[in-house]
Amino acid sequence: MTDHIDVVLPCLDEAAALPTVLRGLPAGYRAIVVDNGSTDGSPRVAAACGAVVVCEPRRGYGAAVHTGLEHATADIVCFADADGSLDLGDLPRLVAPVRSGAADLAAGRRRPLPGAWPWHARAGNAVLAAVLRRRGVPVHDIAPLRAARRAALVSLGVRDRAFGYPLELLLRAGSADWRIEEIDIAYRPRATGTRSKVSGSVRGTLRATRDLIGALR
């Protein structure tokens, strides 16, 4: 068993954000940056900052996350966006209940700073979280910051390889009677030069929300 904690960071053209993001890793946390086809030199930047870099040519958030999970060796694995919107200094607070056995999955509940979360993205997230709660999954956010034990995550068998991965993860965790603990985290504006791959526009948010609700049916 390793004595570090792995942090999987899916990455698509995040070179502008990566240096600050990776500097924010707490001691004892190892970054696994999974490049998903960047054209801005993100893999080179991540490697220069000391991250383990893995390339996943299949496009999709879920594909990148799954590849990162496969390359992780730590008992506890965390997941975070690489766009600068999250403070990786929050990770120990998520890891604590997983490490102690009080929770099977710790998920960050975003508390946005001004300008961090467009109204349409926030509304779509709220709709999806409400659907999950009606299905018995006690969450208020489709969390981008998560922590769980690697073996348990693998056993869930999440299949989605696109942006529906976090939703399927929560659904499967709920069906498996996982204890899920939500922890408030700060949500900041993305680093200059980065843009959401899903919620960067009203049209994109509506399409993603529609497709995800359809998948829930």
Side-chain angles (χ1 to χ4, degrees), residues 8-12 32-38 52-56 63-69 71:
V8 174
L9 296 123
C11 173
L12 177 58
I32 301 176
V33 173
V34 185
D35 187 72
N36 204 207
S38 297
V52 174
V53 178
V54 180
C55 292
E56 173 48 70
V65 167
H66 182 73
T67 294
L69 181 61
H71 281 79

Side-chain angles (χ1 to χ4, degrees), residues 67-205:
T67 294
L69 181 61
E70 289 182 323
H71 281 79
T73 58
D75 178 38
I76 296 176
V77 181
C78 302
F79 302 88
D81 290 345
D83 58 11
S85 62
L86 302 170
D87 180 359
L88 300 192
D90 285 329
L91 287 174
R93 294 195 295 118
L94 272 69
V95 166
V98 176
R99 177 176 274 158
S100 71
D104 300 301
L105 172 67
R109 183 178 181 181
R110 287 171 283 187
R111 299 300 189 182
L113 301 179
W117 205 354
W119 68 267
H120 49 86
R122 192 169 184 176
N125 181 79
V127 169
L128 292 170
V131 173
L132 286 176
R133 290 197 300 277
R134 286 199 293 271
R135 294 193 172 199
V137 185
V139 297
H140 298 81
D141 191 0
I142 312 303
L145 195 68
R146 306 180 296 275
R149 294 193 182 275
R150 182 185 183 281
L153 286 167
V154 171
S155 72
L156 280 184
V158 179
R159 296 179 180 178
D160 193 289
R161 295 296 179 261
F163 55 78
Y165 184 99
L167 187 66
E168 184 185 347
L169 170 64
L170 289 168
L171 279 170
R172 286 180 177 264
S175 297
D177 294 323
W178 279 25
R179 295 159 300 162
I180 301 172
E181 181 171 338
E182 278 192 314
I183 296 171
D184 286 354
I185 60 169
Y187 191 54
R188 309 178 298 200
R190 293 176 175 84
T192 302
T194 66
R195 184 173 182 269
S196 172
K197 313 309 184 287
V198 174
S199 60
S201 68
V202 175
R203 178 178 295 180
T205 296

